[in-house]
Amino acid sequence: MIPKTFKEVIDLGDGREISIETGKLAKQAHGSVVVQSGKCMLLCTVVSNYKQADVDFLPLTVDYREKFAAAGRYPGGFFKREARPSDGEVLTMRLVDRVLRPLFPKDYHSETQVMIQLMSHDDEVMPDAMAGLAASAAIQLSDFPFECAISEARVGRVNGEFIINPTREQLKESDIDMMIGASADSVMMVEGEMDEISEEEMTEAIKFAHEAIKVQCAAQIRLAEAFGKKEVREYESEREDEELAKKVHELAYDKVYAVAKAGSAKHERSAAFDAIKEEVKATFSEEELEDFGDLVSKYFYKAEKAAVRDLTLNDGLRLDGRKTDEIRPIWCEIDYLPSVHGSSIFTRGETQALATVTLGTSREANQIDMPSYEGEETFYLHYNFPPFSTGEARPIRGTSRREVGHGNLAQRALKGMIPEDCPYTVRVVSEVLESNGSSSMATVCSGTMALMDAGVQLKKPVSGIAMGLITDTDSGKYAVLSDILGDEDHLGDMDFKVTGTADGITACQMDIKVKGLSYEILVKALMQAKEGRLHILEKLTDTIAAPNADVKSYAPKIITKVIPGEYIGAVIGSGGKVIQELQKETNTTIVINEDPDTEEGIVEILGTGQEGIDAVIAKIDALMFKPEVGSVYEVKVIKMLDFGAVVEYKDAPGNEVLLHVSELAWERTENVSDVVNMGDVFDVKYFGLDPRTRKEKVSKKALLPKPEGYVERPPRNNDRRGGDRRGGRENRDRKPRRD
């Protein structure tokens, strides 16, 4: 018997719908929903243990996976089973996690899992846009202590019109690709890429998406009420002691305020804060610390946070002594590494990124193989964040989700500035060597300079900046901070990264930790970010004003040549023999791709020496050489035969043709060597296919004047039918056949 199901439908306003259904699948989970749009179906389940974990944070895991069976495909590779998540899946996990995590109580520490699976794929629906909706809807059906319903929506703009959850084809025409996460009351997360749009246009896109999210939140609430809203579970809250909190605040606040106001460097400041903390702990006995030492540490952090925030709100000063809109000192350098194709160093305060650029052929493109999308990237960026960048020693366990996310943000910031006709596959790698505030934005800046140093003809240079926000809801005061420190990221109310050119925004990432952020403050933050971004951009262009005119002498040059499809096989050769020998002889890399639309061959020739590239082009031209009837060509004798000479076209080495002895001279030629010899160079006329021999015919004598008194020999009669003819049966000189 099929159980009773409950369903809500969301109208997207253009004939498309999203449905949320529960009651049929995964009923042992604490909450489960199936979200569907078209043929696309996501199953989301949520479970949270009833016992609190022995940690001081929320152990939340958001897992998003796309099943290959959903698209009727097999996983690639040897093992036919889905393995570690792809970068695309990791990015979706981060988008959902960043919106959900702040809405759980700070003292809720139960192991919690949100698992979202793509069960059925539709080419017209991008499933990541519905992952946040699915996660929140499942939580609304559970008994979790969760603040309110949220959702996420993608917004695009085609021909000036905003679109909610556009298709991948629509996104190709869109100048905006943004994902917005919000509750009915507040925007909480923004991430995306844009085609140099203005700050006002970005704000309008956020507002448009927020209106759609309000409808999705209301549908979740209706579904939960129809299903039967569960009572919120009880859990063991953290200990609190108001008197202890007051005492620690009094002991620490003024001292922390004084250190913060001194404007010291990161490690010096951290050491001073640690010393104050030890002084506070010293006022308690060992027994007291054993009993509530964890509370002392907790309340000290609260006092530290309050002091630093008040310093900024009251005095307009920050931890390192800067004003709210001041950018830290910047120094840059290009061409630092002598053997890479392009490199740069960008240092801003205590944050430093070293970027390298590597140029390659289409063979080095980044292959994307997901159930929801197959394709390749000819520009991609990798971001590495080693422990030493923050002065720490910690385990290294492969590429973290943070590294994937920050690298993706920097890649989105720069990729729109790579010219469409760039012949290279371009890989940028950012090594973060120091970090104290926005290493991802340092990556954008170092990446820009490294690309220009490598000779990639960027349309425009790109810079990036991280903004922060500190607000006081009671007094109404707020401060927007430019170029935030790592500490300001942790204690502030917003982390807002913006990248762009001098003409507009190319990418952004925003996490808001305070409710009800007004659009007035958002616009102010964007405009202040623009000022800082332009200041940083000036430092970049002072270091390298424009892309280098050419790649470095030791970097590979690439030439692209289009050939008719019928010649692809000739260039490759039997078993790849021709192309392999050519690569070896010329010290080049040759890649041939077939254009699916025109069926032409796209030949990429990559090499460090121009001579090798020229030799490859000459060989390809030779393989495609087709002489024209009636034209004259220069040839060279490469082989002598009794009945003629084999000659090679000088303009097409490797293309040979037989020059018959009868075409050497007007006079009768007894020996070929009487007229030509090995290595002789002369002109011949091309006559096309000889109708008698069905072979190509060239003639040397056709370009020579006829000798005086020359008599043309009558053509030979090849007709073997009839009576009195030479070669006929009657005229053969042979004995009669015996009876």
Side-chain angles (χ1 to χ4, degrees), residues 68 71 73 121 168 367-376:
F68 276 87
R73 295 177 51 211
H121 175 57
R168 200 175 294 277
Q367 301 297 323
I368 301 174
D369 184 21
M370 296 175 63
S372 62
Y373 177 65
E374 294 179 85
E376 62 180 27

Side-chain angles (χ1 to χ4, degrees), residues 26 108 124 127 131 147 206 251 356 398 411 415 471 534 543 605 698:
Y108 186 68
E124 297 299 315
E147 189 171 319
I206 295 172
L251 289 170
T356 60
Q411 178 176 322
K415 74 176 185 180
T471 59
L534 295 177
T543 304
I605 309 159
V698 294

Side-chain angles (χ1 to χ4, degrees), residues 70-137:
R73 295 177 51 211
Y74 285 90
F78 184 78
F79 295 102
K80 300 305 178 186
R81 184 185 183 97
E82 288 86 354
R84 67 173 299 276
S86 65
D87 284 359
E89 289 168 320
V90 168
L91 293 171
T92 302
M93 296 176 199
R94 281 174 52 85
L95 286 174
V96 177
D97 186 294
R98 284 160 48 198
V99 183
L100 296 184
R101 192 175 293 272
L103 297 179
F104 285 92
K106 287 183 170 51
D107 60 351
Y108 186 68
H109 301 153
S110 294
E111 182 83 29
T112 304
Q113 288 184 336
V114 177
M115 301 187 68
I116 311 165
Q117 304 177 57
L118 175 66
M119 307 303 289
S120 177
H121 175 57
D122 186 335
D123 289 334
E124 297 299 315
V125 179
M126 297 183 69
D128 59 340
M130 302 190 299
L133 168 63
S136 178

Side-chain angles (χ1 to χ4, degrees), residues 155-164 166 170 173-176 201 204-205 208:
V155 60
R157 186 174 66 174
V158 178
N159 298 324
E161 296 292 328
F162 289 121
I163 305 171
I164 288 294
Q170 288 175 319
E173 306 298 323
S174 175
D175 61 351
I176 295 175
E201 289 174 307
E204 288 302 313
F208 180 79

Side-chain angles (χ1 to χ4, degrees), residues 402-629:
R402 181 182 186 276
E403 288 172 309
V404 172
H406 283 210
N408 180 67
L409 175 61
Q411 178 176 322
R412 300 178 89 176
L414 293 169
K415 74 176 185 180
M417 293 300 111
I418 304 294
E420 289 77 7
D421 59 354
C422 178
Y424 294 98
T425 290
V426 182
R427 181 188 184 222
V428 179
V429 178
S430 172
E431 304 290 348
V432 178
L433 307 181
E434 293 183 57
S435 180
N436 184 17
S438 195
S439 53
S440 62
M441 296 297 95
T443 293
V444 172
C445 297
S446 61
T448 291
M449 293 187 294
L451 286 165
M452 294 198 290
D453 179 52
V456 177
Q457 301 302 304
L458 281 187
K459 299 175 186 177
K460 299 171 189 175
V462 181
S463 65
I465 188 171
M467 307 296 294
L469 175 70
I470 295 176
T471 59
D472 184 349
T473 53
D474 295 333
S475 65
K477 291 182 180 179
Y478 70 90
V480 178
L481 311 180
S482 297
D483 180 22
I484 59 174
L485 302 169
D487 290 339
E488 290 172 332
D489 182 5
H490 297 307
L491 59 84
D493 298 323
M494 179 176 73
D495 176 17
F496 193 179
K497 301 180 179 72
V498 191
T499 73
T501 68
D503 299 320
I505 300 171
T506 59
C508 76
Q509 184 183 92
M510 177 173 69
D511 291 296
I512 301 173
K513 308 165 192 174
V514 64
K515 293 182 190 176
L517 178 70
S518 69
Y519 283 101
E520 174 191 352
I521 297 177
L522 179 60
V523 171
K524 176 176 171 54
L526 281 168
M527 297 311 295
Q528 190 169 314
K530 181 179 180 180
E531 294 174 8
R533 203 177 71 234
L534 295 177
H535 168 78
I536 296 170
L537 188 61
E538 187 177 345
K539 298 293 183 182
L540 305 186
T541 53
D542 285 346
T543 304
I544 178 168
N548 289 330
D550 201 358
V551 299
K552 299 182 186 299
S553 58
Y554 49 83
K557 288 84 177 168
I558 191 167
I559 299 294
T560 301
K561 185 176 180 64
V562 180
I563 64 174
E566 62 194 87
Y567 290 106
I568 294 176
V571 176
I572 296 174
S574 177
K577 182 179 179 181
V578 173
I579 195 171
Q580 289 173 9
E581 289 183 354
L582 191 56
Q583 288 181 114
K584 187 176 180 180
E585 292 170 3
T586 60
N587 195 27
T588 60
T589 299
I590 306 170
V591 178
I592 304 178
N593 297 307
E594 185 176 357
D595 189 316
D597 298 324
T598 64
E599 296 185 352
E600 293 178 316
I602 312 299
V603 184
E604 299 172 12
I605 309 159
L606 190 82
T608 55
Q610 190 62 44
E611 290 183 5
I613 294 175
D614 292 342
V616 174
I617 294 174
K619 178 65 175 179
I620 293 174
D621 288 341
L623 291 171
M624 296 193 302
F625 176 74
K626 270 190 174 182
E628 296 181 3
V629 175

Side-chain angles (χ1 to χ4, degrees), residues 236-525:
E236 185 180 350
S237 301
E238 292 180 347
R239 286 192 302 166
E240 295 292 346
D241 189 327
E242 292 185 11
E243 290 187 9
L244 181 61
K246 184 178 180 181
K247 180 179 179 180
V248 172
H249 185 275
E250 291 173 350
L251 289 170
Y253 180 86
D254 291 338
K255 293 179 181 179
V256 171
Y257 197 99
V259 170
K261 193 171 183 177
S264 53
K266 175 183 176 180
H267 293 293
E268 180 185 346
R269 183 172 62 249
S270 296
F273 286 159
D274 288 341
I276 297 171
K277 183 178 180 180
E278 291 303 316
E279 290 177 16
V280 171
K281 291 172 70 175
T283 62
F284 298 95
S285 66
E286 291 185 9
E287 291 77 11
E288 288 175 321
L289 289 176
E290 188 174 343
D291 185 28
F292 49 75
D294 55 336
L295 288 180
V296 172
S297 297
K298 174 182 173 180
Y299 295 143
F300 177 82
Y301 174 73
K302 284 187 175 181
E304 178 187 333
K305 181 176 180 179
V308 174
R309 289 169 64 92
D310 289 347
L311 173 68
T312 302
L313 290 173
N314 299 333
D315 297 348
L317 293 176
R318 300 162 65 179
L319 285 169
D320 57 358
R322 285 180 293 147
K323 297 178 182 178
T324 56
D325 61 351
E326 192 175 346
I327 311 297
R328 287 173 288 178
I330 295 171
W331 68 266
C332 310
E333 183 178 339
I334 61 167
D335 200 20
Y336 176 72
L337 301 174
S339 61
V340 303
H341 300 165
S343 65
S344 75
I345 303 172
F346 176 83
T347 307
R348 184 193 61 241
E350 296 171 302
T351 297
Q352 184 178 76
L354 169 64
T356 60
V357 169
T358 307
L359 306 175
T361 67
S362 59
R363 187 181 295 165
E364 281 75 45
N366 185 34
Q367 301 297 323
I368 301 174
D369 184 21
M370 296 175 63
S372 62
Y373 177 65
E374 294 179 85
E376 62 180 27
E377 295 173 329
T378 55
F379 171 76
Y380 49 99
L381 185 149
H382 293 149
Y383 164 101
N384 297 317
F385 190 83
F388 66 77
S389 65
T390 54
E392 298 174 281
R394 49 182 164 78
I396 301 172
R397 295 190 175 95
T399 305
S400 68
R401 292 187 179 187
R402 181 182 186 276
E403 288 172 309
V404 172
H406 283 210
N408 180 67
L409 175 61
Q411 178 176 322
R412 300 178 89 176
L414 293 169
K415 74 176 185 180
M417 293 300 111
I418 304 294
E420 289 77 7
D421 59 354
C422 178
Y424 294 98
T425 290
V426 182
R427 181 188 184 222
V428 179
V429 178
S430 172
E431 304 290 348
V432 178
L433 307 181
E434 293 183 57
S435 180
N436 184 17
S438 195
S439 53
S440 62
M441 296 297 95
T443 293
V444 172
C445 297
S446 61
T448 291
M449 293 187 294
L451 286 165
M452 294 198 290
D453 179 52
V456 177
Q457 301 302 304
L458 281 187
K459 299 175 186 177
K460 299 171 189 175
V462 181
S463 65
I465 188 171
M467 307 296 294
L469 175 70
I470 295 176
T471 59
D472 184 349
T473 53
D474 295 333
S475 65
K477 291 182 180 179
Y478 70 90
V480 178
L481 311 180
S482 297
D483 180 22
I484 59 174
L485 302 169
D487 290 339
E488 290 172 332
D489 182 5
H490 297 307
L491 59 84
D493 298 323
M494 179 176 73
D495 176 17
F496 193 179
K497 301 180 179 72
V498 191
T499 73
T501 68
D503 299 320
I505 300 171
T506 59
C508 76
Q509 184 183 92
M510 177 173 69
D511 291 296
I512 301 173
K513 308 165 192 174
V514 64
K515 293 182 190 176
L517 178 70
S518 69
Y519 283 101
E520 174 191 352
I521 297 177
L522 179 60
V523 171
K524 176 176 171 54

